[in-house]
Amino acid sequence: MTKHVGVIPELDGRGLKEADMGMITLARQKDTHLFALVLDGSDETLKEKLSSYGVSTLVDIRLAGDLQHNPEVRAKAVIGAVKKFGISAVFGLSTARGKDLLPRIAALLESPLVMDCFNVDLEANIAETSRYSGKTLAKIKVTGPVPIFGIRPNAKEPVREPVSAKIIQFDAGAIASTQLRVVKTGETGKGSKISLAEAEIIISGGRGMKNGENFTQLFQCAEKLNAAVGASRVAVDSGWVPYALQVGQTGEKVSPKVYIACGISGSIQHFAGMKTSGMVIAINLDTAAPIMSNCDYYAVADALEVVPELTKLLEKSACVT
Amino acid sequence: MKLFVCVKHVPDSAAHIAIIDHIRIDENISFLLNPYDEHALTEAVRIREMNPGSEVIAVCLGKADAEKTLRSAMAMGADRGILIKTDKRHDSIETALALKTAIEQDGSPALIFTGKESIDDQGMQTLFRLGALFDFPAATNVVRLDIVSGKAVTDTEFSGGVVSTYEMSLPCVIGAGKRLNTPKYPTVRDVMRSRKSPIQAFEFSDLNMETPKARMEVIELIPYIQKRQPKEITGSPSEIAQKIVEILKNEAKVL
């Protein structure tokens, strides 16, 4: 029997994100009909893109304008669509936004939920995630109505599979949210523009950066690399950069394609946040630092000397192309 | 008013995790108060100080040894503790239900605090399930909390430096983020005092709860050891930079 599976893409200013496509690829399994549950408006361009990854139905969920950003209202609207279209499993992203949305849906539906999944087997209802600060992989069997899976960004390489698709408008109706009101959403101006959780490349700094000012080097390099800037616990605890940049056990868990660690020793807690990275490049003066023996490439050098050179080279190559 | 703080007894982040029978971990390691819960406690104590006559109650579902975590919570300022004893590991659905039942037996909460996630299971959902069970609003990764004319005004931090301000009716559930406050390490006197603070302990089965229909069950644990084979990049800083660019282009294919 065909399973109706809902995917919740997280749109940014430019539409669908790379991480969405990976998540959709993971949701596309044997005998599934994919419904994209779109909360932020849809159009033909979005339909084209979603259908090229196997989404057959785009559910354009209509919300009253002033309630569009209310996470409680969004959760209830998704639940409305889940019921309306007979959806039996929901996939979303384990991003900061996803962490504010998916557990709300699961709590209201009394559904099982596994966040930060690398893999999901819909037939067996088993999700793979990490436990104990990334020291173990766990297979979790979910039982109950409408299991929900928060997928770790970049966990799956997007694979296209074009299908024909249609858009269905879905009026979520009047959803009252008397308990929670969004007063405002704004940027603090701190942190890098690219979200750590979703970046393809992360350049991260630790004790070896010596002070907050030197982080400017990383931000400049990140801009050329189209990378996000991360930091170790020492760097955030010392106040060099905001906590939002911390990668590790009590910070962001990331899986970029490339993780460049500058002056980071690589404590067990730091590894907990970045060990699923595709490639790890370490630049450190200390040959005995744990990261030097558990990376793909290492350079025994002062990151403060290498990073500016890297930025210069990237500037040059940008001029050529 | 009663300020409840749900705390969890978790393996020390630096502890070596050994897996037994592919399904559980060797618990003969040091356990401590979940780091995010320290922020939850610190905030609850701050709210108590502003509201004379209030009480901070730490609630924990865990094995008998979790008493240590409750003692830490009390050293950090909780007035008393409730320990729901169990030898089983419960999923977030059952945990939320047990916490809710225990809290209700104790009285009406004015606010419920907890860490935004636990560092062992990293489920990120118990606080929302608690909220739904009580029909209270909830917010996660809270980095600011103000109580203004009977409402909770919170900032939730998202990635990329984006912050959303929510206004929630009371009671509500606060999922503490790291930037909410700076927990103070307890003094020797705090620790001495916490030894005498009361803990009410009872068995999980005493709650007489129905088993929830939905379940999340760990069926296998696999050690996650990713041993990489490091290759050295040598040369002057500019040569190293050159080689990194080549690796990014040709091998990682991200440029």
Side-chain angles (χ1 to χ4, degrees):
Chain A
M1 212 183 77
T2 307
K3 257 192 172 180
H4 289 189
V5 173
V7 296
I8 307 175
E10 205 176 283
L11 308 180
D12 61 15
R14 290 161 304 180
L16 214 56
K17 298 193 286 195
E18 186 83 7
D20 289 319
M21 298 178 250
M23 179 268 290
I24 295 168
T25 304
L26 195 54
R28 198 175 68 214
Q29 300 189 12
K30 205 174 143 232
D31 296 329
T32 51
H33 178 113
L34 293 190
F35 289 74
L37 310 176
V38 181
L39 287 155
D40 296 293
S42 59
D43 53 24
E44 285 299 315
T45 323
L46 185 65
K47 190 186 87 175
E48 289 300 302
K49 192 98 198 219
L50 284 167
S51 65
S52 67
Y53 286 90
V55 171
S56 311
T57 309
L58 192 161
V59 181
D60 179 15
I61 301 177
R62 296 293 173 91
L63 287 170
D66 57 330
L67 292 176
Q68 208 183 341
H69 300 293
N70 185 311
E72 261 189 8
V73 173
R74 291 167 78 88
K76 287 177 184 166
V78 167
I79 291 171
V82 161
K83 292 190 170 147
K84 164 93 179 170
F85 298 99
I87 286 168
S88 61
V90 174
F91 284 66
L93 285 173
S94 207
T95 51
R97 288 282 167 196
K99 289 172 193 175
D100 196 23
L101 177 67
L102 303 178
R104 291 181 192 276
I105 301 169
L108 291 171
L109 276 177
E110 296 182 38
S111 288
L113 162 71
V114 184
M115 292 296 280
D116 216 20
C117 301
F118 308 122
N119 205 1
V120 176
D121 177 345
L122 274 177
E123 245 172 307
N125 270 326
I126 291 171
E128 286 171 46
T129 180
S130 68
R131 286 265 165 121
Y132 303 104
S133 26
K135 287 172 210 158
T136 72
L137 286 184
K139 288 191 180 171
I140 316 263
K141 167 111 181 143
V142 295
T143 312
V146 203
I148 299 169
F149 305 101
I151 308 302
R152 182 184 273 214
N154 300 335
K156 179 95 181 169
E157 190 76 25
V159 180
R160 290 165 61 93
E161 189 181 291
V163 292
S164 63
K166 58 173 187 288
I167 299 185
I168 298 179
Q169 315 283 353
F170 174 69
D171 188 348
I175 298 173
S177 178
T178 47
Q179 295 189 327
L180 187 150
R181 191 171 71 85
V182 180
V183 180
K184 63 167 195 247
T185 292
E187 288 190 27
T188 56
K190 292 175 194 159
S192 51
K193 294 279 182 294
I194 299 168
S195 135
L196 260 180
E198 294 157 58
E200 277 207 343
I201 309 175
I202 292 174
I203 183 160
S204 236
R207 194 186 299 275
M209 296 307 293
K210 297 200 176 89
N211 57 50
E213 254 165 59
N214 287 336
F215 263 80
T216 316
Q217 286 191 2
L218 296 186
F219 282 104
Q220 285 165 347
C221 190
E223 211 185 308
K224 301 289 170 243
L225 278 172
N226 203 21
V229 174
S232 72
R233 177 161 187 170
V234 179
V236 295
D237 277 351
S238 311
W240 298 346
V241 283
Y243 276 110
L245 264 55
Q246 190 195 343
V247 170
Q249 165 132 1
T250 52
E252 203 74 48
K253 317 277 188 304
V254 299
S255 317
K257 286 187 178 156
V258 180
Y259 189 85
I260 307 173
C262 303
I264 290 179
S265 66
S267 67
I268 195 164
Q269 290 92 340
H270 191 73
F271 264 102
M274 45 62 78
K275 65 198 290 181
T276 51
S277 304
M279 176 190 280
V280 177
I281 302 174
I283 308 168
N284 205 311
L285 278 168
D286 180 8
T287 48
I291 201 160
M292 303 294 261
S293 54
N294 198 4
C295 61
D296 300 289
Y297 287 100
Y298 67 97
V300 184
D302 188 348
L304 296 174
E305 288 174 15
V306 177
V307 174
E309 292 292 336
L310 194 54
T311 311
K312 255 194 259 169
L313 279 171
L314 293 162
E315 262 165 10
K316 267 193 224 156
S317 65
C319 295
V320 177
T321 48
Chain B
M1 57 195 206
K2 284 188 168 181
L3 308 164
F4 288 91
V5 186
C6 304
V7 296
K8 191 172 183 187
H9 191 53
V10 298
D12 186 333
S13 63
H16 172 71
I17 301 287
I19 298 168
I20 301 174
D21 299 335
H22 309 282
I23 190 88
R24 59 197 172 90
I25 64 158
D26 180 358
E27 296 200 341
N28 197 13
I29 47 175
S30 89
F31 274 64
L32 37 74
L33 173 63
N34 180 43
Y36 292 109
D37 299 344
E38 294 184 359
H39 298 275
L41 273 162
T42 304
E43 199 64 9
V45 168
R46 187 179 73 85
I47 301 291
R48 179 189 62 197
E49 302 312 311
M50 294 187 302
N51 296 274
S54 300
E55 188 185 22
V56 173
I57 306 137
V59 192
C60 183
L61 170 69
K63 50 186 182 172
D65 185 52
E67 184 188 328
K68 284 184 203 147
T69 275
L70 279 175
R71 295 282 168 213
S72 309
M74 293 187 294
M76 291 187 72
D79 299 290
R80 58 185 173 91
I82 298 174
L83 175 59
I84 312 161
K85 279 193 286 185
T86 179
D87 287 325
K88 246 186 83 186
R89 287 189 69 85
H90 300 272
D91 64 15
S92 312
I93 299 173
E94 220 168 10
T95 302
L97 194 57
L99 292 170
K100 188 235 180 188
T101 312
I103 290 171
E104 253 177 356
Q105 281 180 2
D106 196 86
S108 305
L111 276 161
I112 301 175
F113 295 85
T114 190
K116 71 167 174 124
E117 64 184 84
S118 62
I119 62 164
D120 56 350
D121 290 348
Q122 303 166 263
M124 313 174 195
Q125 52 190 278
T126 305
L127 74 110
F128 288 108
R129 295 195 188 274
L130 256 180
L133 288 170
F134 273 110
D135 195 22
F136 295 165
T140 190
N141 201 19
V142 172
V143 296
R144 179 179 69 99
L145 167 68
D146 285 321
I147 307 292
V148 185
S149 40
K151 303 243 183 204
V153 180
T154 62
D155 279 351
T156 285
E157 191 173 39
F158 296 97
S159 44
V162 175
V163 166
S164 284
T165 305
Y166 297 153
E167 182 190 84
M168 295 187 287
S169 55
L170 295 175
C172 65
V173 182
I174 303 291
K178 207 169 164 172
R179 227 161 46 75
L180 182 56
N181 50 44
T182 311
K184 271 194 304 225
Y185 287 102
T187 62
V188 176
R189 231 172 98 196
D190 294 331
V191 175
M192 296 301 285
R193 183 181 37 81
S194 76
R195 286 189 190 155
K196 289 184 212 123
S197 304
I199 290 180
Q200 182 201 356
F202 47 83
E203 297 295 328
F204 178 82
S205 55
D206 294 343
L207 292 172
N208 284 320
M209 293 172 1
E210 268 184 51
T211 308
K213 282 194 212 82
R215 267 200 325 274
M216 285 103 67
E217 188 187 349
V218 177
I219 54 165
E220 192 180 359
L221 286 178
I222 305 153
Y224 192 36
I225 306 158
Q226 192 181 25
K227 195 63 194 150
R228 297 172 193 264
Q229 301 297 330
K231 288 191 268 283
E232 187 173 6
I233 307 171
T234 52
S236 67
S238 72
E239 284 162 354
I240 290 169
Q242 182 62 48
K243 284 176 189 163
I244 291 176
V245 170
E246 280 161 23
I247 291 165
L248 295 178
K249 256 190 201 150
N250 306 326
E251 200 184 325
K253 298 187 169 51
V254 287
L255 288 184

